[in-house]
Amino acid sequence: MTTRSSILVLYTGGTIGMIQNAETGALQPFNFDKIYDQIPVLNRIGCDLKFHSFDPLIDSSNMHPDFWVKLVEIIDKEYHNYDGFVILHGSDTMAYTASALSFMLENLNKPVILTGSQLPLGMIRTDGRENFITAIEIAASKKNGLPIIPEVAIYFENKLLRGNRTSKMNAENFNAFFSGNYPPLAEVGVHIKYNSNYIRKANSKPLIIHTNLNNKVAILKLFPGISQMTVQAILKIPGLKAVILESFGAGNAPTDKWFLKELNDAIQDGIILVNVTQCKEGSVEIGKYETSMNLGKIGVIGGYDITTESAIAKLMYLLGNNFTLTKTKKLLQTSLRGELTI
Ligand code: ASP
């Protein structure tokens, strides 16, 4: 006899949980106690659902590392009570949350599936209903008694993507997320087709949670004409520990003497600089062009094909662990949760 999967749904806020107020027409969060009225088909979904709503519900633009800690603590507390977790989350910062959770949940062996929608559940043409139902189905799916997706992933439109590989790329299409450097974990049509070669392999180690995050990080996005003052203003932020240098193409940057000196001074001061490309696909290859060779020489770390969202989350996690500078730099160039390809 196969037992029904049990899924904990964590509702954080965002568009998905909105309905239109019948009188005013304004969008407002709906009461999850009424979810079965809203989506009656949930009665027939074949797994046991429990709901936890955050209070207050937030637009994900207000997402904060403290909230990630709350999510991780609930998952830790309920880890053995459920087969999988579905997190309903605004799409705006979903890629950041998915990345952060992937680092905070070490040895995760159960599905943590984030989803949301572009149109509220309470609207007739909503994409939320399908996203929600399929996310539950994926979180509940098992093969030989083991969860098929033992990792943090985002389900949106018809694709399941590794959480720490995604970026939001469209503000209005239902197909809102993109993973340029890693194939989908599953594609959904008539069937859910799992790409098992790309799905993380589970292990039998116990879950370890990491709840110390350090947000003394910044992003320095390059553009032609960037001034010394701008570069300086970022690199001289008091207490700064690490900066993502969002470079051009395969990791290229201006070769101006002042620019390299500012970066070098920061590195000498113990600030970690990680080179992440502004491109949505492809990898940083320090030394491929002359314009990146100097970055390597002064000690800028190549971030390979990591996304900016994932690099920010990884830095917060690594800095929060107080590893030595050498170890932090080494781990930045190591794939910890499948976030980069070397
Ligand atoms: N602003 C909303 C949010 O991220 C958009 C959405 O839910 O998709 O919370």
Side-chain angles (χ1 to χ4, degrees):
M1 193 187 81
T2 51
T3 49
R4 282 161 68 93
S5 293
S6 56
I7 304 297
L8 181 61
V9 179
L10 301 167
Y11 172 36
T12 68
T15 300
I16 189 164
M18 301 277 168
I19 48 166
Q20 234 159 359
N21 183 298
E23 279 148 37
T24 64
L27 289 174
Q28 60 185 47
F30 84 88
N31 180 350
F32 252 74
D33 297 342
K34 303 263 162 58
I35 186 74
Y36 289 93
D37 300 339
Q38 201 65 42
I39 315 180
V41 73
L42 287 179
N43 286 302
R44 295 194 282 120
I45 202 150
C47 57
D48 296 322
L49 300 177
K50 281 271 167 5
F51 296 91
H52 173 95
S53 285
F54 280 82
D55 185 16
L57 295 163
I58 61 163
D59 184 294
S60 79
S61 307
N62 284 319
M63 189 43 72
H64 189 276
D66 291 345
F67 204 116
W68 295 337
V69 171
K70 284 187 202 155
L71 279 169
V72 161
E73 285 176 345
I74 295 176
I75 292 172
D76 183 41
K77 187 164 154 255
E78 303 291 357
Y79 195 64
H80 296 290
N81 298 330
Y82 293 92
D83 296 295
F85 301 85
V86 170
I87 302 179
L88 299 178
H89 192 291
S91 60
D92 290 349
T93 61
M94 192 183 288
Y96 291 90
T97 298
S99 300
L101 297 188
S102 76
F103 296 111
M104 295 167 81
L105 297 165
E106 187 174 347
N107 300 330
L108 179 70
N109 281 313
K110 293 190 177 183
V112 173
I113 313 295
L114 289 98
T115 194
S117 67
Q118 297 281 44
L119 282 177
L121 266 182
M123 291 182 90
I124 292 173
R125 249 177 2 89
T126 184
D127 51 329
R129 194 178 308 111
E130 197 280 324
N131 285 350
F132 187 23
I133 291 168
T134 307
I136 294 171
E137 200 171 326
I138 289 171
S141 295
K142 291 186 183 172
K143 197 173 170 191
N144 303 327
L146 294 171
I148 296 184
I149 304 289
E151 57 174 296
V152 180
I154 289 183
Y155 179 71
F156 226 87
E157 176 73 343
N158 56 356
K159 283 189 206 73
L160 183 74
L161 304 173
R162 172 166 291 164
N164 57 30
R165 289 289 196 155
T166 59
S167 301
K168 183 171 178 181
M169 58 134 189
N170 201 306
E172 55 186 70
N173 268 9
F174 288 164
N175 188 4
F177 285 88
F178 181 73
S179 164
N181 287 325
Y182 202 75
L185 303 182
E187 283 161 279
V188 178
V190 172
H191 304 287
I192 301 181
K193 287 195 185 142
Y194 290 101
N195 294 326
S196 38
N197 289 344
Y198 297 110
I199 298 168
R200 184 186 162 264
K201 302 282 169 278
N203 60 40
S204 53
K205 296 183 188 160
L207 178 73
I208 300 172
I209 63 163
H210 299 275
T211 52
N212 285 333
L213 299 172
N214 185 332
N215 69 352
K216 302 260 172 9
V217 293
I219 299 172
L220 172 55
K221 181 168 183 158
L222 299 181
F223 56 90
I226 191 167
S227 73
Q228 186 164 5
M229 255 162 62
T230 305
V231 173
Q232 245 174 26
I234 293 184
L235 296 178
K236 296 267 189 265
I237 293 171
L240 187 70
K241 294 270 185 249
V243 178
I244 292 168
L245 183 70
E246 264 205 14
S247 59
F248 306 122
N252 305 312
T255 48
D256 300 276
K257 279 213 174 69
W258 67 261
F259 178 74
L260 291 166
K261 182 170 181 315
E262 293 297 343
L263 299 192
N264 190 37
D265 287 353
I267 292 169
Q268 297 312 316
D269 286 346
I271 294 174
I272 297 170
L273 293 188
V274 190
N275 188 348
V276 175
T277 176
Q278 293 178 16
C279 295
K280 296 292 167 220
E281 276 181 60
S283 185
V284 161
E285 284 179 75
I286 289 190
K288 181 173 179 192
Y289 291 89
E290 202 188 352
T291 41
S292 69
M293 196 116 76
N294 296 324
L295 300 180
K297 280 192 193 139
I298 61 172
V300 174
I301 315 263
Y304 296 97
D305 60 353
I306 197 167
T307 61
T308 296
E309 293 87 333
S310 193
I312 272 285
K314 185 170 181 178
L315 280 172
M316 286 193 196
Y317 154 73
L318 291 176
L319 295 171
N321 268 284
N322 286 319
F323 297 124
T324 60
L325 195 60
T326 317
K327 179 151 187 200
T328 306
K329 289 184 176 176
K330 184 157 177 271
L331 293 177
L332 278 166
Q333 295 205 296
T334 308
S335 172
L336 301 180
R337 312 278 192 266
E339 73 280 8
L340 53 84
T341 320
I342 295 176

